[in-house]
Amino acid sequence: MRREIDREIWRLAVPAFLALVAEPLFLLSDAAIVGHLGTPELAGLGIAAVVLQTAIGLCVFLAYGTTASVARHLGAGDRGRALAQGVDGVWLAVLIGLVTTVAGVALTGPLVGAFGAGEQVSDHATTYLRIAFLGAVPLLVMLAATGVLRGLQDTRTPLVVAVAGNALNIALNLLLVYGAGPVAGMGLAGSAVGSVLAQVASAAALVAVVVRAARREGTSLRPDLPGVRAAARAAVALVIRTLTLRAALLVTTYAVTVGAGVDAAVDLATHQLAMTLWTFLAFALDAIAIAAQAITGRHLGAGDVAATRAVTRRMVWWGVVSGIVTGLGLAALSPVLGPLFSDDPDVHRLLVPVLVVAALAQPVAGVVFVLDGVLIGAGDGAYLAWGGLLTLAVYAPLVLLAGHALGSLVAIWAVFAAVFMGARFVVLTHRARTDRWLVTGVLQ
């Protein structure tokens, strides 16, 4: 029984992990290509990327919510209705993407200006961001279509499209930024155009797979307004959950800023490196969470509470094991990671204890990420939203107090690990022990 569960988990989790890792690796390639244009161009790309990733990141519910709803209908034996839910999710992505594009293009100037980066850098950021916002629709459609396929228990297709799409992105960036010809040698604007074209191609590929599946089941491809509205209502709770997570990270960075002393640059640089490494390791743990969304939704849709419990226990076990592995690896590598990213010996010295604290929190993070995926798959978004608000209310004053009173980056990370991750652990494990999230059948 355990072997069967393990095979199912890793069949979904491994491709999901590779797809998650592919994105930041190719973003590094984009940065390398633009970086050779000059420092102002790279700085402009950095500002534009923060704005765009924030706007798109808030819409991750398009993938998560769609995965859960499609998986439930699949488990209930109604593949046609599952695809209908997926089609509604894609149409919702189109609507949100259009609003995001119009608002983003109109507000590009004020958004960039808020960073106060100087005229030259701001000009580059504005140029890139205005073009990049044209890719909002395909980016959000990619999220929704990926959610449909995950709900159908297919994580391989999104992986193939992610790798192919990002490879196309690199090729187009090289051509349009540096190449010769009438549409080449465009500089930073060429990088934005290349990315949008690659996003359009990736979205088209994923939608084509969804459309073929829908046609096989005789599912209508027209937007169903009640279905789109239902998807939008279900998304509200997941948006709140995501906002609380992002707010916690922003508060942590603010605490580092107010707590930094004469070595403010060292503290901020070290914190950025530590958070980057934390985020990268989260991809490994998030892969199991994605599998949890798909598997939990399918079992609950089928009305199989016993299987849901058994799979949840096994995924939590794998979350702990994965957290121990990533924690040991991070602690062991902490003395050598600093020189890979910085030439500053002060950053090297400070990074080691910060990473040790982060390493100690990895097993807890493994449980947190898995149970987050389980409850998303169960459609328990309202609880996740309230839990996120409670966690933020507890964590924010304590981390700010640590920044003001202690002024120590290690202490701030200790609060992050113990209070923020600890509070999420308590909130999620408390819910998992109850039966309230084990709602079977198709949710209305």
Side-chain angles (χ1 to χ4, degrees):
M1 183 64 177
R2 284 186 178 180
R3 289 181 180 178
E4 291 178 6
I5 293 174
D6 288 345
R7 279 197 298 269
E8 183 177 30
I9 293 170
W10 294 111
R11 179 181 63 83
L12 296 173
V14 171
F17 168 70
L18 295 174
L20 288 168
V21 171
E23 188 66 28
L25 292 179
F26 282 108
L27 286 176
L28 289 175
S29 300
D30 278 0
I33 292 170
V34 171
H36 287 289
L37 290 172
T39 300
E41 287 85 352
L42 183 59
L45 173 63
I47 291 174
V50 167
V51 175
L52 187 64
Q53 288 169 8
T54 299
I56 301 303
L58 291 175
C59 297
V60 72
F61 66 85
L62 289 167
Y64 291 174
T66 306
T67 296
S69 60
V70 170
R72 271 191 179 267
H73 284 285
L74 184 71
D78 192 347
R79 189 178 178 88
R81 187 58 192 155
L83 283 158
Q85 288 274 296
V87 170
D88 291 339
V90 172
W91 280 112
L92 177 62
V94 171
L95 293 175
I96 296 174
L98 289 172
V99 173
T100 302
T101 297
V102 173
V105 171
L107 297 174
T108 291
L111 289 171
V112 171
F115 287 84
E119 184 178 355
Q120 187 180 21
V121 172
S122 295
D123 286 346
H124 287 306
T126 300
T127 298
Y128 187 96
L129 191 57
R130 278 218 173 95
I131 299 171
F133 266 123
L134 299 177
V137 171
L139 278 171
L140 297 187
V141 167
M142 286 167 61
L143 283 176
T146 296
V148 176
L149 295 174
R150 287 174 179 170
L152 295 174
Q153 317 297 294
D154 175 11
T155 56
R156 290 180 180 272
T157 300
L159 168 62
V160 172
V161 173
V163 172
N166 283 297
L168 176 62
N169 180 44
I170 292 174
L172 289 172
N173 270 254
L174 288 171
L175 172 65
L176 297 176
V177 172
Y178 295 112
V183 294
M186 297 169 61
L188 185 61
S191 176
V193 171
S195 294
V196 170
L197 292 175
Q199 289 154 9
V200 170
S202 298
L206 288 170
V207 168
V209 176
V210 174
V211 168
R212 282 199 301 271
R215 284 178 173 166
R216 282 197 299 268
E217 299 298 326
T219 301
S220 173
L221 298 176
R222 294 180 180 179
D224 175 52
L225 293 182
V228 173
R229 283 197 296 267
R233 285 195 300 270
V236 172
L238 291 180
V239 171
I240 295 172
R241 163 202 168 272
T242 303
L243 282 171
T244 61
L245 296 179
R246 291 190 173 272
L249 297 180
L250 288 173
V251 170
T252 305
T253 301
Y254 180 73
V256 174
T257 303
V258 299
V262 293
D263 292 328
V266 171
D267 282 3
L268 287 169
T270 304
H271 175 69
Q272 176 60 29
L273 289 179
M275 191 57 70
T276 299
L277 291 166
W278 173 276
T279 302
F280 181 80
L281 292 177
F283 289 138
L285 305 177
D286 249 353
I288 305 176
I290 288 172
Q293 294 170 24
I295 297 172
T296 301
R298 194 185 82 239
H299 282 316
L300 289 178
D304 196 339
V305 172
T308 304
R309 283 287 192 192
V311 171
T312 298
R313 285 193 296 269
R314 195 61 180 167
M315 286 188 291
V316 167
W317 187 87
W318 277 116
V320 173
V321 171
S322 300
I324 291 173
V325 171
T326 57
L328 290 174
L330 185 61
L333 294 173
S334 59
V336 299
L337 287 173
L340 295 178
F341 298 95
S342 170
D343 295 325
D344 190 335
D346 290 332
V347 171
H348 303 169
R349 284 191 291 270
L350 182 56
L351 186 61
V352 173
V354 171
L355 291 185
V356 169
V357 172
L360 292 172
Q362 287 296 298
V364 173
V367 176
V368 166
F369 293 167
V370 167
L371 288 180
D372 194 51
V374 167
L375 295 182
I376 289 173
D380 204 21
Y383 180 83
L384 291 173
W386 284 110
L389 290 170
L390 175 63
T391 298
L392 182 63
V394 171
Y395 171 66
L398 291 177
V399 75
L400 290 174
L401 179 63
H404 279 286
L406 302 177
S408 165
L409 182 62
V410 177
I412 290 172
W413 267 82
V415 174
F416 175 78
V419 179
F420 180 62
M421 296 307 298
R424 291 189 71 194
F425 179 88
V426 170
V427 166
L428 293 171
T429 55
H430 169 74
R431 186 64 163 184
R433 282 196 294 267
T434 72
D435 294 330
R436 293 182 181 180
W437 59 279
L438 290 167
V439 180
T440 58
V442 175
L443 298 180
Q444 301 300 322

